[in-house]
Amino acid sequence: MILIACIASPVLLELLMFWNNDSFAKGLKAIEKSTSLLIFPLFIIGNYQRVNFFKIAKTYAIVTTLIMLFFFLRFLIIYPELMNKYLNGIDLWEMGYQFADSIGIHAPALNMHLAFVSVCALYFIFESFRNQEKTIVKMARFIVFLLSFFFVLFVNTRMALINVLIGFLIVFFFEIRSKFNTKKIAITAAAVLVLLGGITFFFVQKNPYMKEKYSSVTFAYMDKVGKLDEIDHPEIKVFNSLVTRVSIWKSAWELSVKNLPFGVGASDGKPELNKYYKATNQQFLAKYEFPTHNQFLDFLLKFGILGPFVVFLYIFTIGYLGYDLKNAMILSFFLIFFTSNLTDDFLLRFDGIAFSGLWFSIFGSYWLQQKITLDKVPAVV
């Protein structure tokens, strides 16, 4: 029940602070979007004995990669002009977002999924060697892994790429730490690193904008925090830069402090932030109605003092499960979801809510299985 309450904590907070909404209907709509955080744990953790974490993760990695392959081939057929621009080095910055839009999902949200898929795919390569599976199965796992990493690079969002590489390091660390057939692990790791290096090198050669995106573009105009309108054509120069996010965070923090201790209400966070942009004469931010782009600040603005504590409880409980189980996939998921919510607000979006709530419940079920199994083992005298 404590684990279910941790998973449901965001929606429970919305219910607790429901009185603070200006609109009854919009308050209900905000709660409706988060109800999966109560439904998933009740049904999944309520039947935790039947949940096969590794089978679900393996199926998820394969099926998601195949779905992405279908959408990629569809993209090649329907938007050949965009691929021609990409191959010719024109407007390289837009490709990942155009591809995500063709599927109907926000690029950072899509790449958050893909980063976890790629980490799972790598984990199951090592598992195939541990279980001494057939060569054809090992090759199939390599292909799934390479495709999943290819899609992460193709969508090309900064946090996802950094996170997936750190996730790979976590998997390598736990495999080496296990000391299971160190020679095979070393050979497999070397092969994977060579392949990753080759794919990354190919992408950088075909997409030189990546060098700019991860250096000069990201950190440009940092002296213009809160003064983005002074930049000539900010839509072109700083739309995805760090300075824009820091300007948003600055506004969200100032507005949150003014509305302590209870915040502005779950349904009023974004409208009140947009009003604040206009009141402080930040026309660029007001025009595009940017949300907070930080989950901790988003909950601080909506719910006041309790908000960031609930986000911390929700995300770091996932980290605790991974640490306690010493499981590379769960720890990587925690890292991906935590860092993604530092630069975005995925508990504001239904896809982020459902994605995290589903996997949190599956992780919790696996944790319960291990704990109850251990509790039943008699102590050795």
Side-chain angles (χ1 to χ4, degrees), residues 332-351:
S332 297
F333 182 96
F334 157 71
L335 174 78
I336 291 166
F337 196 65
F338 171 59
T339 54
S340 295
N341 278 292
L342 292 178
T343 57
D344 227 310
D345 33 27
F346 287 109
L347 292 179
L348 183 66
R349 302 170 53 86
F350 180 74
D351 50 7

PDB file of all heavy atoms in Angstrom, residues 332-351:
ATOM      1  N   SER A 332      18.757   3.004 -14.860  1.00  0.00           N
ATOM      2  CA  SER A 332      18.822   3.821 -16.073  1.00  0.00           C
ATOM      3  C   SER A 332      17.502   4.552 -16.304  1.00  0.00           C
ATOM      4  O   SER A 332      17.499   5.726 -16.700  1.00  0.00           O
ATOM      5  CB  SER A 332      19.154   2.947 -17.284  1.00  0.00           C
ATOM      6  OG  SER A 332      20.431   2.372 -17.145  1.00  0.00           O
ATOM      7  N   PHE A 333      16.388   3.860 -16.054  1.00  0.00           N
ATOM      8  CA  PHE A 333      15.083   4.511 -16.188  1.00  0.00           C
ATOM      9  C   PHE A 333      14.984   5.696 -15.233  1.00  0.00           C
ATOM     10  O   PHE A 333      14.520   6.778 -15.612  1.00  0.00           O
ATOM     11  CB  PHE A 333      13.958   3.520 -15.882  1.00  0.00           C
ATOM     12  CG  PHE A 333      12.573   4.105 -16.056  1.00  0.00           C
ATOM     13  CD1 PHE A 333      11.882   3.915 -17.239  1.00  0.00           C
ATOM     14  CD2 PHE A 333      11.965   4.846 -15.051  1.00  0.00           C
ATOM     15  CE1 PHE A 333      10.614   4.456 -17.415  1.00  0.00           C
ATOM     16  CE2 PHE A 333      10.709   5.394 -15.216  1.00  0.00           C
ATOM     17  CZ  PHE A 333      10.028   5.190 -16.404  1.00  0.00           C
ATOM     18  N   PHE A 334      15.420   5.489 -13.986  1.00  0.00           N
ATOM     19  CA  PHE A 334      15.417   6.579 -13.001  1.00  0.00           C
ATOM     20  C   PHE A 334      16.237   7.763 -13.506  1.00  0.00           C
ATOM     21  O   PHE A 334      15.787   8.913 -13.467  1.00  0.00           O
ATOM     22  CB  PHE A 334      15.978   6.086 -11.667  1.00  0.00           C
ATOM     23  CG  PHE A 334      16.520   7.180 -10.795  1.00  0.00           C
ATOM     24  CD1 PHE A 334      15.670   8.090 -10.175  1.00  0.00           C
ATOM     25  CD2 PHE A 334      17.892   7.320 -10.609  1.00  0.00           C
ATOM     26  CE1 PHE A 334      16.170   9.117  -9.384  1.00  0.00           C
ATOM     27  CE2 PHE A 334      18.397   8.332  -9.817  1.00  0.00           C
ATOM     28  CZ  PHE A 334      17.539   9.238  -9.206  1.00  0.00           C
ATOM     29  N   LEU A 335      17.424   7.498 -13.980  1.00  0.00           N
ATOM     30  CA  LEU A 335      18.294   8.564 -14.483  1.00  0.00           C
ATOM     31  C   LEU A 335      17.644   9.297 -15.650  1.00  0.00           C
ATOM     32  O   LEU A 335      17.617  10.535 -15.689  1.00  0.00           O
ATOM     33  CB  LEU A 335      19.634   7.972 -14.924  1.00  0.00           C
ATOM     34  CG  LEU A 335      20.581   8.955 -15.609  1.00  0.00           C
ATOM     35  CD1 LEU A 335      21.260   9.837 -14.572  1.00  0.00           C
ATOM     36  CD2 LEU A 335      21.618   8.229 -16.448  1.00  0.00           C
ATOM     37  N   ILE A 336      17.094   8.537 -16.609  1.00  0.00           N
ATOM     38  CA  ILE A 336      16.465   9.139 -17.788  1.00  0.00           C
ATOM     39  C   ILE A 336      15.279  10.002 -17.377  1.00  0.00           C
ATOM     40  O   ILE A 336      15.139  11.150 -17.833  1.00  0.00           O
ATOM     41  CB  ILE A 336      16.014   8.032 -18.775  1.00  0.00           C
ATOM     42  CG1 ILE A 336      17.239   7.350 -19.399  1.00  0.00           C
ATOM     43  CG2 ILE A 336      15.116   8.604 -19.863  1.00  0.00           C
ATOM     44  CD1 ILE A 336      16.919   6.053 -20.118  1.00  0.00           C
ATOM     45  N   PHE A 337      14.423   9.482 -16.509  1.00  0.00           N
ATOM     46  CA  PHE A 337      13.217  10.222 -16.137  1.00  0.00           C
ATOM     47  C   PHE A 337      13.543  11.415 -15.247  1.00  0.00           C
ATOM     48  O   PHE A 337      12.952  12.488 -15.384  1.00  0.00           O
ATOM     49  CB  PHE A 337      12.225   9.289 -15.435  1.00  0.00           C
ATOM     50  CG  PHE A 337      10.828   9.854 -15.368  1.00  0.00           C
ATOM     51  CD1 PHE A 337      10.095  10.069 -16.517  1.00  0.00           C
ATOM     52  CD2 PHE A 337      10.247  10.169 -14.146  1.00  0.00           C
ATOM     53  CE1 PHE A 337       8.808  10.597 -16.463  1.00  0.00           C
ATOM     54  CE2 PHE A 337       8.974  10.699 -14.077  1.00  0.00           C
ATOM     55  CZ  PHE A 337       8.255  10.910 -15.241  1.00  0.00           C
ATOM     56  N   PHE A 338      14.511  11.257 -14.351  1.00  0.00           N
ATOM     57  CA  PHE A 338      14.898  12.358 -13.466  1.00  0.00           C
ATOM     58  C   PHE A 338      15.494  13.517 -14.258  1.00  0.00           C
ATOM     59  O   PHE A 338      15.056  14.666 -14.141  1.00  0.00           O
ATOM     60  CB  PHE A 338      15.894  11.856 -12.423  1.00  0.00           C
ATOM     61  CG  PHE A 338      16.530  12.949 -11.602  1.00  0.00           C
ATOM     62  CD1 PHE A 338      15.753  13.801 -10.835  1.00  0.00           C
ATOM     63  CD2 PHE A 338      17.905  13.124 -11.615  1.00  0.00           C
ATOM     64  CE1 PHE A 338      16.345  14.821 -10.072  1.00  0.00           C
ATOM     65  CE2 PHE A 338      18.502  14.127 -10.868  1.00  0.00           C
ATOM     66  CZ  PHE A 338      17.711  14.985 -10.101  1.00  0.00           C
ATOM     67  N   THR A 339      16.494  13.232 -15.071  1.00  0.00           N
ATOM     68  CA  THR A 339      17.149  14.309 -15.819  1.00  0.00           C
ATOM     69  C   THR A 339      16.223  14.920 -16.867  1.00  0.00           C
ATOM     70  O   THR A 339      16.281  16.125 -17.130  1.00  0.00           O
ATOM     71  CB  THR A 339      18.436  13.809 -16.496  1.00  0.00           C
ATOM     72  OG1 THR A 339      18.128  12.665 -17.297  1.00  0.00           O
ATOM     73  CG2 THR A 339      19.477  13.422 -15.466  1.00  0.00           C
ATOM     74  N   SER A 340      15.349  14.095 -17.463  1.00  0.00           N
ATOM     75  CA  SER A 340      14.387  14.635 -18.432  1.00  0.00           C
ATOM     76  C   SER A 340      13.454  15.635 -17.774  1.00  0.00           C
ATOM     77  O   SER A 340      13.059  16.633 -18.392  1.00  0.00           O
ATOM     78  CB  SER A 340      13.574  13.498 -19.060  1.00  0.00           C
ATOM     79  OG  SER A 340      14.395  12.636 -19.820  1.00  0.00           O
ATOM     80  N   ASN A 341      13.115  15.399 -16.518  1.00  0.00           N
ATOM     81  CA  ASN A 341      12.216  16.300 -15.810  1.00  0.00           C
ATOM     82  C   ASN A 341      12.924  17.522 -15.231  1.00  0.00           C
ATOM     83  O   ASN A 341      12.269  18.407 -14.689  1.00  0.00           O
ATOM     84  CB  ASN A 341      11.474  15.546 -14.701  1.00  0.00           C
ATOM     85  CG  ASN A 341      10.279  14.801 -15.249  1.00  0.00           C
ATOM     86  OD1 ASN A 341       9.304  15.395 -15.687  1.00  0.00           O
ATOM     87  ND2 ASN A 341      10.358  13.483 -15.266  1.00  0.00           N
ATOM     88  N   LEU A 342      14.237  17.565 -15.349  1.00  0.00           N
ATOM     89  CA  LEU A 342      14.951  18.791 -14.993  1.00  0.00           C
ATOM     90  C   LEU A 342      14.854  19.822 -16.107  1.00  0.00           C
ATOM     91  O   LEU A 342      14.940  21.026 -15.862  1.00  0.00           O
ATOM     92  CB  LEU A 342      16.427  18.488 -14.700  1.00  0.00           C
ATOM     93  CG  LEU A 342      16.719  17.663 -13.446  1.00  0.00           C
ATOM     94  CD1 LEU A 342      18.212  17.401 -13.330  1.00  0.00           C
ATOM     95  CD2 LEU A 342      16.202  18.358 -12.189  1.00  0.00           C
ATOM     96  N   THR A 343      14.696  19.363 -17.347  1.00  0.00           N
ATOM     97  CA  THR A 343      14.620  20.276 -18.488  1.00  0.00           C
ATOM     98  C   THR A 343      13.267  20.227 -19.187  1.00  0.00           C
ATOM     99  O   THR A 343      13.068  20.884 -20.202  1.00  0.00           O
ATOM    100  CB  THR A 343      15.715  19.937 -19.514  1.00  0.00           C
ATOM    101  OG1 THR A 343      15.586  18.575 -19.922  1.00  0.00           O
ATOM    102  CG2 THR A 343      17.095  20.160 -18.921  1.00  0.00           C
ATOM    103  N   ASP A 344      12.354  19.431 -18.669  1.00  0.00           N
ATOM    104  CA  ASP A 344      10.999  19.346 -19.209  1.00  0.00           C
ATOM    105  C   ASP A 344      10.058  18.997 -18.075  1.00  0.00           C
ATOM    106  O   ASP A 344      10.488  18.851 -16.922  1.00  0.00           O
ATOM    107  CB  ASP A 344      10.925  18.305 -20.328  1.00  0.00           C
ATOM    108  CG  ASP A 344      10.184  18.835 -21.554  1.00  0.00           C
ATOM    109  OD1 ASP A 344       9.071  19.378 -21.375  1.00  0.00           O
ATOM    110  OD2 ASP A 344      10.715  18.716 -22.665  1.00  0.00           O
ATOM    111  N   ASP A 345       8.776  18.846 -18.389  1.00  0.00           N
ATOM    112  CA  ASP A 345       7.793  18.558 -17.335  1.00  0.00           C
ATOM    113  C   ASP A 345       6.869  17.441 -17.795  1.00  0.00           C
ATOM    114  O   ASP A 345       5.751  17.686 -18.244  1.00  0.00           O
ATOM    115  CB  ASP A 345       6.994  19.813 -16.959  1.00  0.00           C
ATOM    116  CG  ASP A 345       6.777  20.755 -18.132  1.00  0.00           C
ATOM    117  OD1 ASP A 345       6.759  20.279 -19.291  1.00  0.00           O
ATOM    118  OD2 ASP A 345       6.632  21.955 -17.901  1.00  0.00           O
ATOM    119  N   PHE A 346       7.338  16.199 -17.646  1.00  0.00           N
ATOM    120  CA  PHE A 346       6.624  15.062 -18.205  1.00  0.00           C
ATOM    121  C   PHE A 346       5.469  14.583 -17.334  1.00  0.00           C
ATOM    122  O   PHE A 346       4.685  13.739 -17.778  1.00  0.00           O
ATOM    123  CB  PHE A 346       7.601  13.926 -18.490  1.00  0.00           C
ATOM    124  CG  PHE A 346       8.473  14.202 -19.681  1.00  0.00           C
ATOM    125  CD1 PHE A 346       9.819  14.487 -19.531  1.00  0.00           C
ATOM    126  CD2 PHE A 346       7.938  14.215 -20.958  1.00  0.00           C
ATOM    127  CE1 PHE A 346      10.618  14.755 -20.624  1.00  0.00           C
ATOM    128  CE2 PHE A 346       8.727  14.487 -22.065  1.00  0.00           C
ATOM    129  CZ  PHE A 346      10.066  14.758 -21.903  1.00  0.00           C
ATOM    130  N   LEU A 347       5.342  15.085 -16.118  1.00  0.00           N
ATOM    131  CA  LEU A 347       4.141  14.793 -15.333  1.00  0.00           C
ATOM    132  C   LEU A 347       3.034  15.800 -15.644  1.00  0.00           C
ATOM    133  O   LEU A 347       1.977  15.776 -15.036  1.00  0.00           O
ATOM    134  CB  LEU A 347       4.462  14.792 -13.835  1.00  0.00           C
ATOM    135  CG  LEU A 347       5.350  13.645 -13.359  1.00  0.00           C
ATOM    136  CD1 LEU A 347       5.625  13.760 -11.865  1.00  0.00           C
ATOM    137  CD2 LEU A 347       4.726  12.291 -13.679  1.00  0.00           C
ATOM    138  N   LEU A 348       3.314  16.673 -16.606  1.00  0.00           N
ATOM    139  CA  LEU A 348       2.305  17.587 -17.131  1.00  0.00           C
ATOM    140  C   LEU A 348       1.643  16.991 -18.365  1.00  0.00           C
ATOM    141  O   LEU A 348       0.542  17.374 -18.739  1.00  0.00           O
ATOM    142  CB  LEU A 348       2.971  18.930 -17.490  1.00  0.00           C
ATOM    143  CG  LEU A 348       2.111  20.075 -18.002  1.00  0.00           C
ATOM    144  CD1 LEU A 348       1.162  20.545 -16.918  1.00  0.00           C
ATOM    145  CD2 LEU A 348       2.993  21.236 -18.462  1.00  0.00           C
ATOM    146  N   ARG A 349       2.307  16.011 -18.985  1.00  0.00           N
ATOM    147  CA  ARG A 349       1.858  15.406 -20.234  1.00  0.00           C
ATOM    148  C   ARG A 349       1.339  13.991 -19.969  1.00  0.00           C
ATOM    149  O   ARG A 349       1.912  13.251 -19.190  1.00  0.00           O
ATOM    150  CB  ARG A 349       3.011  15.329 -21.235  1.00  0.00           C
ATOM    151  CG  ARG A 349       3.656  16.657 -21.569  1.00  0.00           C
ATOM    152  CD  ARG A 349       4.937  16.436 -22.373  1.00  0.00           C
ATOM    153  NE  ARG A 349       4.685  15.598 -23.531  1.00  0.00           N
ATOM    154  CZ  ARG A 349       4.251  16.074 -24.698  1.00  0.00           C
ATOM    155  NH1 ARG A 349       4.055  17.359 -24.856  1.00  0.00           N
ATOM    156  NH2 ARG A 349       4.030  15.244 -25.709  1.00  0.00           N
ATOM    157  N   PHE A 350       0.267  13.624 -20.664  1.00  0.00           N
ATOM    158  CA  PHE A 350      -0.307  12.294 -20.450  1.00  0.00           C
ATOM    159  C   PHE A 350       0.688  11.194 -20.812  1.00  0.00           C
ATOM    160  O   PHE A 350       0.763  10.172 -20.124  1.00  0.00           O
ATOM    161  CB  PHE A 350      -1.592  12.117 -21.262  1.00  0.00           C
ATOM    162  CG  PHE A 350      -2.217  10.757 -21.085  1.00  0.00           C
ATOM    163  CD1 PHE A 350      -2.880  10.436 -19.913  1.00  0.00           C
ATOM    164  CD2 PHE A 350      -2.095   9.784 -22.066  1.00  0.00           C
ATOM    165  CE1 PHE A 350      -3.434   9.168 -19.730  1.00  0.00           C
ATOM    166  CE2 PHE A 350      -2.638   8.525 -21.895  1.00  0.00           C
ATOM    167  CZ  PHE A 350      -3.312   8.220 -20.729  1.00  0.00           C
ATOM    168  N   ASP A 351       1.479  11.391 -21.904  1.00  0.00           N
ATOM    169  CA  ASP A 351       2.421  10.341 -22.285  1.00  0.00           C
ATOM    170  C   ASP A 351       3.487  10.145 -21.219  1.00  0.00           C
ATOM    171  O   ASP A 351       3.893   9.012 -20.930  1.00  0.00           O
ATOM    172  CB  ASP A 351       3.055  10.615 -23.657  1.00  0.00           C
ATOM    173  CG  ASP A 351       3.619  12.027 -23.782  1.00  0.00           C
ATOM    174  OD1 ASP A 351       3.643  12.751 -22.771  1.00  0.00           O
ATOM    175  OD2 ASP A 351       4.029  12.400 -24.894  1.00  0.00           O
TER     176      ASP A 351
END
